Amino acid sequence: MTLENKKVVLGITGGIAAYKCPEIVRRLKDLNCDVRVVMTSGAKEFITPLTLQAVSGNPVSDSLLDPAAEASMGHIELAKWADLVVIAPATADVIAKINAGMANDLLTTICLATDAPIAIVPAMNQQMYAAKTTQRNLTSLRNIGMHIWGPASGEQACGDIGKGRLLEPMQIVELIQAHFTPKSLDLNILITAGPTREAIDPVRYISNHSSGKMGFAIAQAAQQIGANVTLISGPVSLATPHNTKRLDVVSASDMHEQAMAQAPSHDIFIACAAVADYRPSNVSDQKIKKNDDDMTVTMIKNPDILADVSALTANRPFCVGFAAETQDVETYARGKLTRKKLDMIAANNVSIAGQGFNSDDNALTLYWKQGKLDLPLADKQELAKQLVVEIIKHYNHAQ
Ligand code: C5P
């Protein structure tokens, strides 16, 4: 796995193992990781900032009160920039300071100012590591959610043998990779998204304003929490979310065929597509000429994909529908929940400007037989995350 677009702050403190840090940075750079190094004054006794600047390709930050450094990337900015803060080597001293919540240098300040995960990679004399205070500090940091990686055992720089060696650079890099690898969830999720197009003749069709953004955001959110995602998409101009199996379709009939074929091998079906309810009963082989003043297109009903998946008797997935309504949202949404025999329905009021169709934001209310939950206005990515979490919670409950 590459670490492209991942931003890591590497904090180096004053221990002999600091000499291994250029290797850590080089390996991270090999994986296209964006690394910024922060050094304590103790670290600079063991290795020069120049070395780390050269290998990281970025200026090294080492002072909290340096106007030049603050002007290029201030300490709060750096804290916000990070996707992950790794402190390697982490001395007993810095571990104690972080645990005490101190912020008297740049690195400890960043630890307080960041909301990114923090990984501590201890390295110290084995007796200092075994000391009750160090152990108490590490336990307390672990309890507040910090990662503690290592230490390794073996011969130490001081001649002692025991636990306290810094993990090898490659091991640290692998732990960083593992940290960014999405957790695998043993769950297959099928999603329909976008509009469908119903041909009138070879050049004309009937469709709707669906952009597909909500369905694609749901696919991305589901993928990010580790689900296997299949996305059946009508014609949209959106990039396929990472690690998602995308099946492109045009008409409601195509979408129906794909959904019926895929549904039995999936645990959850989320029907987000704005499927055309009707299609022209006859599709002309040739372009229809405008000879008459008026024209009639006779339409027939499309299959209801969601209702048909929900009616499966074998291997039926947990079924979630959407209801875009302009009035009496709860009544209509609950009506669909019952009529299509759904497990859950996500309703939105599309008459409100700035949410729903073709917008970046949305607000939803989830309804199920015994309850409901409001998911307030948020951008579609954020809303999709909340929605997926709620769906999985209900799916697990139903098992
Ligand atoms: O009945 P209505 O179209 O309002 O229902 C909306 C829900 O049903 C959505 O989840 C939509 O994706 C799904 N649907 C479908 N096939 C249709 C019509 C709607 O899957 N032909």
Short mmCIF file of all heavy atoms in Angstrom, two decimals, residues 145-210:
data_model
loop_
_atom_site.label_atom_id
_atom_site.label_comp_id
_atom_site.label_asym_id
_atom_site.label_seq_id
_atom_site.Cartn_x
_atom_site.Cartn_y
_atom_site.Cartn_z
N GLY A 145 -6.28 6.41 24.18
CA GLY A 145 -6.38 6.13 22.74
C GLY A 145 -5.09 6.32 21.95
O GLY A 145 -5.12 6.21 20.72
N MET A 146 -3.98 6.64 22.62
CA MET A 146 -2.74 6.76 21.83
C MET A 146 -2.21 5.36 21.53
O MET A 146 -2.41 4.43 22.30
CB MET A 146 -1.69 7.56 22.61
CG MET A 146 -2.09 9.01 22.72
SD MET A 146 -0.72 10.06 23.18
CE MET A 146 -1.61 11.58 23.56
N HIS A 147 -1.54 5.25 20.40
CA HIS A 147 -0.95 3.96 20.04
C HIS A 147 0.44 3.89 20.65
O HIS A 147 1.18 4.87 20.61
CB HIS A 147 -0.82 3.83 18.52
CG HIS A 147 -2.11 4.04 17.80
ND1 HIS A 147 -3.11 3.09 17.79
CD2 HIS A 147 -2.58 5.09 17.08
CE1 HIS A 147 -4.13 3.56 17.09
NE2 HIS A 147 -3.84 4.77 16.66
N ILE A 148 0.79 2.75 21.20
CA ILE A 148 2.16 2.55 21.70
C ILE A 148 2.75 1.42 20.87
O ILE A 148 2.26 0.29 20.91
CB ILE A 148 2.18 2.15 23.21
CG1 ILE A 148 1.25 3.07 24.05
CG2 ILE A 148 3.61 2.14 23.75
CD1 ILE A 148 1.68 4.50 24.18
N TRP A 149 3.77 1.74 20.09
CA TRP A 149 4.38 0.75 19.19
C TRP A 149 5.74 0.34 19.76
O TRP A 149 6.63 1.16 19.91
CB TRP A 149 4.56 1.33 17.80
CG TRP A 149 3.25 1.61 17.10
CD1 TRP A 149 2.01 1.15 17.44
CD2 TRP A 149 3.05 2.43 15.94
NE1 TRP A 149 1.06 1.61 16.57
CE2 TRP A 149 1.67 2.40 15.63
CE3 TRP A 149 3.90 3.17 15.11
CZ2 TRP A 149 1.12 3.09 14.56
CZ3 TRP A 149 3.36 3.85 14.03
CH2 TRP A 149 1.98 3.82 13.75
N GLY A 150 5.89 -0.94 20.08
CA GLY A 150 7.15 -1.42 20.65
C GLY A 150 7.16 -1.16 22.14
O GLY A 150 6.11 -1.01 22.74
N PRO A 151 8.35 -1.18 22.76
CA PRO A 151 9.68 -1.28 22.15
C PRO A 151 10.10 -2.72 21.88
O PRO A 151 9.41 -3.66 22.33
CB PRO A 151 10.58 -0.67 23.22
CG PRO A 151 9.88 -0.99 24.51
CD PRO A 151 8.42 -0.97 24.21
N ALA A 152 11.23 -2.87 21.20
CA ALA A 152 11.80 -4.20 20.97
C ALA A 152 12.79 -4.52 22.10
O ALA A 152 13.19 -3.63 22.86
CB ALA A 152 12.52 -4.20 19.63
N SER A 153 13.11 -5.79 22.18
CA SER A 153 14.09 -6.24 23.19
C SER A 153 15.43 -6.47 22.54
O SER A 153 15.51 -6.69 21.33
CB SER A 153 13.65 -7.56 23.80
OG SER A 153 12.57 -7.35 24.62
N GLY A 154 16.47 -6.48 23.33
CA GLY A 154 17.81 -6.82 22.79
C GLY A 154 18.89 -6.00 23.43
O GLY A 154 18.68 -5.38 24.49
N GLU A 155 20.00 -5.99 22.72
CA GLU A 155 21.16 -5.26 23.25
C GLU A 155 20.94 -3.76 23.07
O GLU A 155 20.47 -3.32 22.02
CB GLU A 155 22.41 -5.70 22.50
CG GLU A 155 23.67 -5.32 23.24
CD GLU A 155 24.92 -5.88 22.57
OE1 GLU A 155 24.82 -6.94 21.90
OE2 GLU A 155 25.97 -5.26 22.72
N GLN A 156 21.30 -3.01 24.08
CA GLN A 156 21.07 -1.56 24.02
C GLN A 156 22.39 -0.80 23.85
O GLN A 156 23.48 -1.34 24.15
CB GLN A 156 20.36 -1.12 25.29
CG GLN A 156 19.02 -1.83 25.49
CD GLN A 156 18.07 -1.06 26.33
OE1 GLN A 156 18.30 -0.90 27.52
NE2 GLN A 156 17.00 -0.58 25.72
N ALA A 157 22.26 0.45 23.42
CA ALA A 157 23.46 1.28 23.18
C ALA A 157 24.32 1.38 24.43
O ALA A 157 25.54 1.41 24.36
CB ALA A 157 23.04 2.67 22.72
N CYS A 158 23.67 1.38 25.61
CA CYS A 158 24.40 1.53 26.87
C CYS A 158 25.05 0.22 27.32
O CYS A 158 25.73 0.18 28.35
CB CYS A 158 23.46 2.03 27.94
SG CYS A 158 22.01 0.97 28.12
N GLY A 159 24.80 -0.87 26.60
CA GLY A 159 25.39 -2.16 26.96
C GLY A 159 24.41 -3.07 27.67
O GLY A 159 24.64 -4.29 27.75
N ASP A 160 23.30 -2.51 28.19
CA ASP A 160 22.29 -3.35 28.85
C ASP A 160 21.59 -4.24 27.83
O ASP A 160 21.60 -3.95 26.63
CB ASP A 160 21.21 -2.48 29.51
CG ASP A 160 21.66 -1.94 30.87
OD1 ASP A 160 22.85 -2.12 31.19
OD2 ASP A 160 20.82 -1.33 31.56
N ILE A 161 20.98 -5.28 28.34
CA ILE A 161 20.14 -6.11 27.46
C ILE A 161 18.74 -6.10 28.05
O ILE A 161 18.56 -6.30 29.26
CB ILE A 161 20.70 -7.55 27.38
CG1 ILE A 161 22.06 -7.50 26.66
CG2 ILE A 161 19.74 -8.47 26.62
CD1 ILE A 161 22.78 -8.82 26.58
N GLY A 162 17.74 -5.88 27.21
CA GLY A 162 16.37 -5.89 27.72
C GLY A 162 15.44 -5.14 26.80
O GLY A 162 15.77 -4.83 25.65
N LYS A 163 14.26 -4.83 27.34
CA LYS A 163 13.21 -4.20 26.53
C LYS A 163 13.38 -2.69 26.55
O LYS A 163 13.45 -2.10 27.64
CB LYS A 163 11.85 -4.60 27.13
CG LYS A 163 10.77 -4.71 26.12
CD LYS A 163 9.55 -5.38 26.70
CE LYS A 163 8.44 -5.30 25.64
NZ LYS A 163 7.17 -5.70 26.16
N GLY A 164 13.45 -2.08 25.38
CA GLY A 164 13.60 -0.62 25.34
C GLY A 164 14.19 -0.14 24.03
O GLY A 164 14.36 1.06 23.82
N ARG A 165 14.49 -1.09 23.13
CA ARG A 165 15.05 -0.69 21.83
C ARG A 165 13.95 -0.13 20.91
O ARG A 165 12.82 -0.61 20.91
CB ARG A 165 15.66 -1.93 21.12
CG ARG A 165 17.03 -2.33 21.62
CD ARG A 165 17.40 -3.68 21.02
NE ARG A 165 17.39 -3.63 19.55
CZ ARG A 165 18.46 -3.37 18.80
NH1 ARG A 165 19.63 -3.19 19.36
NH2 ARG A 165 18.38 -3.34 17.49
N LEU A 166 14.35 0.85 20.12
CA LEU A 166 13.42 1.37 19.11
C LEU A 166 13.11 0.26 18.10
O LEU A 166 13.99 -0.50 17.73
CB LEU A 166 14.07 2.56 18.36
CG LEU A 166 13.16 3.30 17.37
CD1 LEU A 166 12.13 4.16 18.10
CD2 LEU A 166 13.98 4.18 16.41
N LEU A 167 11.87 0.18 17.66
CA LEU A 167 11.55 -0.76 16.58
C LEU A 167 12.39 -0.41 15.37
O LEU A 167 12.80 0.75 15.20
CB LEU A 167 10.07 -0.65 16.20
CG LEU A 167 9.04 -1.07 17.25
CD1 LEU A 167 7.63 -0.90 16.69
CD2 LEU A 167 9.24 -2.52 17.69
N GLU A 168 12.63 -1.38 14.51
CA GLU A 168 13.41 -1.11 13.29
C GLU A 168 12.62 -0.16 12.39
O GLU A 168 11.37 -0.21 12.35
CB GLU A 168 13.69 -2.43 12.54
CG GLU A 168 14.69 -3.34 13.24
CD GLU A 168 15.99 -2.62 13.61
OE1 GLU A 168 16.49 -1.83 12.78
OE2 GLU A 168 16.48 -2.82 14.73
N PRO A 169 13.32 0.69 11.62
CA PRO A 169 12.62 1.65 10.74
C PRO A 169 11.53 1.01 9.88
O PRO A 169 10.41 1.51 9.79
CB PRO A 169 13.74 2.22 9.88
CG PRO A 169 14.94 2.17 10.78
CD PRO A 169 14.78 0.91 11.60
N MET A 170 11.83 -0.16 9.29
CA MET A 170 10.83 -0.79 8.43
C MET A 170 9.60 -1.23 9.21
O MET A 170 8.47 -1.19 8.70
CB MET A 170 11.46 -1.98 7.70
CG MET A 170 11.33 -1.99 6.20
SD MET A 170 10.85 -0.48 5.39
CE MET A 170 9.38 -1.00 4.57
N GLN A 171 9.83 -1.68 10.47
CA GLN A 171 8.68 -2.08 11.30
C GLN A 171 7.78 -0.86 11.58
O GLN A 171 6.55 -0.96 11.56
CB GLN A 171 9.16 -2.64 12.65
CG GLN A 171 9.75 -4.03 12.58
CD GLN A 171 10.24 -4.44 13.96
OE1 GLN A 171 11.21 -3.88 14.49
NE2 GLN A 171 9.57 -5.40 14.55
N ILE A 172 8.42 0.27 11.83
CA ILE A 172 7.65 1.49 12.10
C ILE A 172 6.85 1.90 10.86
O ILE A 172 5.66 2.22 10.94
CB ILE A 172 8.59 2.64 12.57
CG1 ILE A 172 9.24 2.24 13.90
CG2 ILE A 172 7.82 3.95 12.72
CD1 ILE A 172 10.35 3.17 14.38
N VAL A 173 7.51 1.81 9.71
CA VAL A 173 6.83 2.17 8.45
C VAL A 173 5.65 1.21 8.22
O VAL A 173 4.55 1.64 7.82
CB VAL A 173 7.83 2.14 7.27
CG1 VAL A 173 7.12 2.28 5.94
CG2 VAL A 173 8.86 3.26 7.44
N GLU A 174 5.85 -0.07 8.50
CA GLU A 174 4.75 -1.04 8.31
C GLU A 174 3.58 -0.75 9.25
O GLU A 174 2.42 -0.89 8.89
CB GLU A 174 5.27 -2.46 8.51
CG GLU A 174 5.98 -2.98 7.26
CD GLU A 174 6.85 -4.19 7.53
OE1 GLU A 174 6.73 -4.80 8.61
OE2 GLU A 174 7.68 -4.52 6.65
N LEU A 175 3.91 -0.31 10.47
CA LEU A 175 2.83 0.03 11.41
C LEU A 175 2.08 1.27 10.92
O LEU A 175 0.86 1.37 11.08
CB LEU A 175 3.41 0.27 12.82
CG LEU A 175 3.77 -1.02 13.55
CD1 LEU A 175 4.67 -0.73 14.75
CD2 LEU A 175 2.51 -1.74 14.02
N ILE A 176 2.81 2.19 10.32
CA ILE A 176 2.14 3.39 9.77
C ILE A 176 1.22 2.96 8.61
O ILE A 176 0.07 3.40 8.52
CB ILE A 176 3.18 4.44 9.31
CG1 ILE A 176 3.93 4.99 10.54
CG2 ILE A 176 2.52 5.57 8.53
CD1 ILE A 176 5.11 5.90 10.23
N GLN A 177 1.74 2.05 7.76
CA GLN A 177 0.90 1.55 6.65
C GLN A 177 -0.35 0.86 7.19
O GLN A 177 -1.45 1.08 6.70
CB GLN A 177 1.69 0.55 5.81
CG GLN A 177 2.62 1.19 4.81
CD GLN A 177 3.31 0.11 4.00
OE1 GLN A 177 4.06 -0.69 4.55
NE2 GLN A 177 3.07 0.09 2.70
N ALA A 178 -0.13 0.02 8.20
CA ALA A 178 -1.27 -0.71 8.77
C ALA A 178 -2.28 0.26 9.36
O ALA A 178 -3.49 0.07 9.24
CB ALA A 178 -0.79 -1.69 9.84
N HIS A 179 -1.76 1.33 9.96
CA HIS A 179 -2.66 2.33 10.54
C HIS A 179 -3.58 2.91 9.47
O HIS A 179 -4.76 3.15 9.73
CB HIS A 179 -1.84 3.44 11.20
CG HIS A 179 -2.67 4.62 11.61
ND1 HIS A 179 -3.36 4.64 12.81
CD2 HIS A 179 -2.98 5.78 10.98
CE1 HIS A 179 -4.03 5.78 12.89
NE2 HIS A 179 -3.81 6.49 11.79
N PHE A 180 -3.02 3.13 8.28
CA PHE A 180 -3.82 3.76 7.22
C PHE A 180 -4.60 2.75 6.36
O PHE A 180 -5.37 3.14 5.50
CB PHE A 180 -2.92 4.61 6.31
CG PHE A 180 -2.49 5.91 6.94
CD1 PHE A 180 -1.16 6.17 7.21
CD2 PHE A 180 -3.44 6.86 7.28
CE1 PHE A 180 -0.77 7.38 7.79
CE2 PHE A 180 -3.06 8.07 7.87
CZ PHE A 180 -1.72 8.33 8.12
N THR A 181 -4.35 1.46 6.58
CA THR A 181 -5.08 0.47 5.79
C THR A 181 -6.49 0.35 6.34
O THR A 181 -6.67 0.12 7.54
CB THR A 181 -4.38 -0.91 5.88
OG1 THR A 181 -3.05 -0.74 5.44
CG2 THR A 181 -5.09 -1.94 5.01
N PRO A 182 -7.49 0.53 5.48
CA PRO A 182 -8.86 0.44 6.00
C PRO A 182 -9.10 -0.91 6.66
O PRO A 182 -8.63 -1.93 6.16
CB PRO A 182 -9.73 0.60 4.76
CG PRO A 182 -8.83 1.06 3.68
CD PRO A 182 -7.43 0.71 4.04
N LYS A 183 -9.78 -0.88 7.76
CA LYS A 183 -10.09 -2.12 8.47
C LYS A 183 -11.02 -2.95 7.59
O LYS A 183 -11.93 -2.42 6.98
CB LYS A 183 -10.78 -1.83 9.82
CG LYS A 183 -10.08 -0.77 10.65
CD LYS A 183 -8.71 -1.21 11.14
CE LYS A 183 -7.86 -0.07 11.64
NZ LYS A 183 -7.16 0.72 10.63
N SER A 184 -10.78 -4.23 7.55
CA SER A 184 -11.63 -5.04 6.71
C SER A 184 -12.88 -5.48 7.48
O SER A 184 -12.78 -5.98 8.59
CB SER A 184 -10.82 -6.22 6.21
OG SER A 184 -11.67 -7.25 5.85
N LEU A 185 -14.01 -5.22 6.88
CA LEU A 185 -15.28 -5.54 7.52
C LEU A 185 -15.87 -6.65 6.66
O LEU A 185 -15.93 -6.51 5.45
CB LEU A 185 -16.15 -4.29 7.43
CG LEU A 185 -17.29 -4.07 8.38
CD1 LEU A 185 -16.75 -3.83 9.77
CD2 LEU A 185 -18.03 -2.81 7.94
N ASP A 186 -16.30 -7.71 7.27
CA ASP A 186 -16.79 -8.83 6.48
C ASP A 186 -18.24 -8.57 6.06
O ASP A 186 -19.15 -9.24 6.53
CB ASP A 186 -16.65 -10.12 7.30
CG ASP A 186 -16.90 -11.34 6.42
OD1 ASP A 186 -16.82 -11.19 5.18
OD2 ASP A 186 -17.18 -12.41 6.98
N LEU A 187 -18.41 -7.55 5.22
CA LEU A 187 -19.75 -7.13 4.87
C LEU A 187 -19.78 -6.71 3.41
O LEU A 187 -18.95 -5.92 2.96
CB LEU A 187 -20.08 -5.90 5.75
CG LEU A 187 -21.50 -5.67 6.18
CD1 LEU A 187 -22.11 -6.90 6.83
CD2 LEU A 187 -21.53 -4.51 7.16
N ASN A 188 -20.73 -7.26 2.64
CA ASN A 188 -20.86 -6.88 1.23
C ASN A 188 -22.06 -5.95 1.08
O ASN A 188 -23.18 -6.31 1.44
CB ASN A 188 -21.08 -8.12 0.36
CG ASN A 188 -19.90 -9.08 0.47
OD1 ASN A 188 -18.75 -8.65 0.56
ND2 ASN A 188 -20.18 -10.37 0.49
N ILE A 189 -21.78 -4.77 0.55
CA ILE A 189 -22.85 -3.77 0.43
C ILE A 189 -23.07 -3.42 -1.04
O ILE A 189 -22.13 -3.11 -1.77
CB ILE A 189 -22.51 -2.50 1.25
CG1 ILE A 189 -22.29 -2.87 2.73
CG2 ILE A 189 -23.61 -1.45 1.11
CD1 ILE A 189 -22.10 -1.69 3.67
N LEU A 190 -24.33 -3.49 -1.44
CA LEU A 190 -24.71 -3.17 -2.83
C LEU A 190 -25.47 -1.84 -2.83
O LEU A 190 -26.38 -1.65 -2.01
CB LEU A 190 -25.60 -4.30 -3.38
CG LEU A 190 -26.15 -4.12 -4.79
CD1 LEU A 190 -25.02 -4.16 -5.82
CD2 LEU A 190 -27.17 -5.24 -5.11
N ILE A 191 -25.07 -0.95 -3.72
CA ILE A 191 -25.68 0.39 -3.74
C ILE A 191 -26.10 0.72 -5.19
O ILE A 191 -25.33 0.48 -6.12
CB ILE A 191 -24.67 1.45 -3.25
CG1 ILE A 191 -24.24 1.14 -1.81
CG2 ILE A 191 -25.24 2.86 -3.33
CD1 ILE A 191 -22.96 1.81 -1.38
N THR A 192 -27.31 1.28 -5.35
CA THR A 192 -27.64 1.85 -6.66
C THR A 192 -27.55 3.36 -6.55
O THR A 192 -27.85 3.92 -5.49
CB THR A 192 -29.06 1.47 -7.15
OG1 THR A 192 -30.03 1.96 -6.21
CG2 THR A 192 -29.23 -0.03 -7.31
N ALA A 193 -27.11 4.02 -7.62
CA ALA A 193 -26.93 5.47 -7.57
C ALA A 193 -27.22 6.10 -8.91
O ALA A 193 -27.16 5.44 -9.95
CB ALA A 193 -25.49 5.79 -7.16
N GLY A 194 -27.53 7.40 -8.85
CA GLY A 194 -27.70 8.18 -10.08
C GLY A 194 -29.07 8.02 -10.71
O GLY A 194 -29.94 7.33 -10.17
N PRO A 195 -29.26 8.65 -11.86
CA PRO A 195 -30.54 8.56 -12.56
C PRO A 195 -30.55 7.34 -13.49
O PRO A 195 -29.52 6.67 -13.64
CB PRO A 195 -30.54 9.83 -13.40
CG PRO A 195 -29.08 10.03 -13.75
CD PRO A 195 -28.27 9.47 -12.60
N THR A 196 -31.67 7.07 -14.10
CA THR A 196 -31.67 6.13 -15.23
C THR A 196 -32.14 6.93 -16.44
O THR A 196 -32.74 8.00 -16.30
CB THR A 196 -32.61 4.92 -15.02
OG1 THR A 196 -33.95 5.39 -14.90
CG2 THR A 196 -32.21 4.13 -13.79
N ARG A 197 -31.82 6.42 -17.62
CA ARG A 197 -32.26 7.07 -18.87
C ARG A 197 -33.15 6.10 -19.62
O ARG A 197 -32.75 4.96 -19.85
CB ARG A 197 -31.05 7.39 -19.74
CG ARG A 197 -30.34 8.64 -19.33
CD ARG A 197 -29.21 8.92 -20.30
NE ARG A 197 -28.37 9.97 -19.76
CZ ARG A 197 -27.18 10.27 -20.23
NH1 ARG A 197 -26.68 9.60 -21.26
NH2 ARG A 197 -26.47 11.24 -19.69
N GLU A 198 -34.30 6.61 -20.02
CA GLU A 198 -35.26 5.76 -20.73
C GLU A 198 -35.38 6.26 -22.16
O GLU A 198 -35.89 7.38 -22.39
CB GLU A 198 -36.61 5.80 -20.00
CG GLU A 198 -36.51 5.55 -18.49
CD GLU A 198 -35.86 4.22 -18.13
OE1 GLU A 198 -36.08 3.22 -18.84
OE2 GLU A 198 -35.10 4.17 -17.13
N ALA A 199 -34.90 5.46 -23.08
CA ALA A 199 -34.82 5.91 -24.48
C ALA A 199 -36.20 6.09 -25.10
O ALA A 199 -37.13 5.31 -24.86
CB ALA A 199 -34.03 4.89 -25.28
N ILE A 200 -36.30 7.17 -25.90
CA ILE A 200 -37.50 7.41 -26.71
C ILE A 200 -37.20 6.96 -28.15
O ILE A 200 -37.98 6.29 -28.80
CB ILE A 200 -37.89 8.90 -26.71
CG1 ILE A 200 -38.21 9.34 -25.28
CG2 ILE A 200 -39.07 9.16 -27.64
CD1 ILE A 200 -38.45 10.83 -25.14
N ASP A 201 -36.01 7.38 -28.59
CA ASP A 201 -35.51 6.96 -29.91
C ASP A 201 -33.99 6.93 -29.79
O ASP A 201 -33.47 7.11 -28.68
CB ASP A 201 -36.06 7.89 -31.02
CG ASP A 201 -35.52 9.31 -30.96
OD1 ASP A 201 -34.49 9.52 -30.29
OD2 ASP A 201 -36.11 10.20 -31.58
N PRO A 202 -33.23 6.72 -30.87
CA PRO A 202 -31.77 6.57 -30.69
C PRO A 202 -31.08 7.82 -30.14
O PRO A 202 -29.95 7.72 -29.67
CB PRO A 202 -31.27 6.26 -32.11
CG PRO A 202 -32.45 5.76 -32.85
CD PRO A 202 -33.65 6.42 -32.25
N VAL A 203 -31.72 9.00 -30.18
CA VAL A 203 -31.03 10.20 -29.72
C VAL A 203 -31.72 10.89 -28.53
O VAL A 203 -31.20 11.86 -27.99
CB VAL A 203 -30.84 11.24 -30.86
CG1 VAL A 203 -29.94 10.70 -31.95
CG2 VAL A 203 -32.19 11.68 -31.41
N ARG A 204 -32.84 10.44 -28.12
CA ARG A 204 -33.57 11.13 -27.05
C ARG A 204 -33.91 10.18 -25.91
O ARG A 204 -34.09 8.99 -26.11
CB ARG A 204 -34.88 11.72 -27.60
CG ARG A 204 -34.65 12.68 -28.75
CD ARG A 204 -35.97 13.32 -29.13
NE ARG A 204 -35.83 14.22 -30.28
CZ ARG A 204 -35.98 13.85 -31.54
NH1 ARG A 204 -36.26 12.59 -31.84
NH2 ARG A 204 -35.86 14.74 -32.50
N TYR A 205 -34.01 10.78 -24.73
CA TYR A 205 -34.37 9.95 -23.57
C TYR A 205 -35.11 10.78 -22.53
O TYR A 205 -35.09 12.00 -22.55
CB TYR A 205 -33.14 9.31 -22.94
CG TYR A 205 -32.07 10.28 -22.49
CD1 TYR A 205 -32.18 10.95 -21.27
CD2 TYR A 205 -30.94 10.51 -23.27
CE1 TYR A 205 -31.20 11.84 -20.85
CE2 TYR A 205 -29.96 11.40 -22.86
CZ TYR A 205 -30.09 12.07 -21.65
OH TYR A 205 -29.12 12.94 -21.25
N ILE A 206 -35.74 10.07 -21.58
CA ILE A 206 -36.38 10.71 -20.43
C ILE A 206 -35.53 10.37 -19.22
O ILE A 206 -35.11 9.22 -19.05
CB ILE A 206 -37.83 10.18 -20.27
CG1 ILE A 206 -38.67 10.67 -21.45
CG2 ILE A 206 -38.42 10.59 -18.93
CD1 ILE A 206 -40.05 10.04 -21.51
N SER A 207 -35.24 11.40 -18.40
CA SER A 207 -34.40 11.14 -17.22
C SER A 207 -34.77 12.11 -16.10
O SER A 207 -35.86 12.70 -16.13
CB SER A 207 -32.92 11.26 -17.61
OG SER A 207 -32.10 10.82 -16.56
N ASN A 208 -33.91 12.29 -15.13
CA ASN A 208 -34.18 13.22 -14.03
C ASN A 208 -32.89 13.89 -13.57
O ASN A 208 -31.82 13.61 -14.11
CB ASN A 208 -34.88 12.49 -12.88
CG ASN A 208 -34.02 11.35 -12.36
OD1 ASN A 208 -32.91 11.55 -11.88
ND2 ASN A 208 -34.52 10.12 -12.48
N HIS A 209 -33.00 14.75 -12.56
CA HIS A 209 -31.86 15.59 -12.15
C HIS A 209 -30.89 14.93 -11.17
O HIS A 209 -30.01 15.60 -10.65
CB HIS A 209 -32.37 16.89 -11.51
CG HIS A 209 -33.00 17.81 -12.49
ND1 HIS A 209 -32.32 18.35 -13.55
CD2 HIS A 209 -34.28 18.28 -12.58
CE1 HIS A 209 -33.12 19.12 -14.25
NE2 HIS A 209 -34.32 19.07 -13.69
N SER A 210 -31.04 13.65 -10.88
CA SER A 210 -30.15 13.03 -9.90
C SER A 210 -28.69 13.13 -10.36
O SER A 210 -28.36 12.81 -11.50
CB SER A 210 -30.54 11.56 -9.72
OG SER A 210 -29.53 10.90 -8.99
#
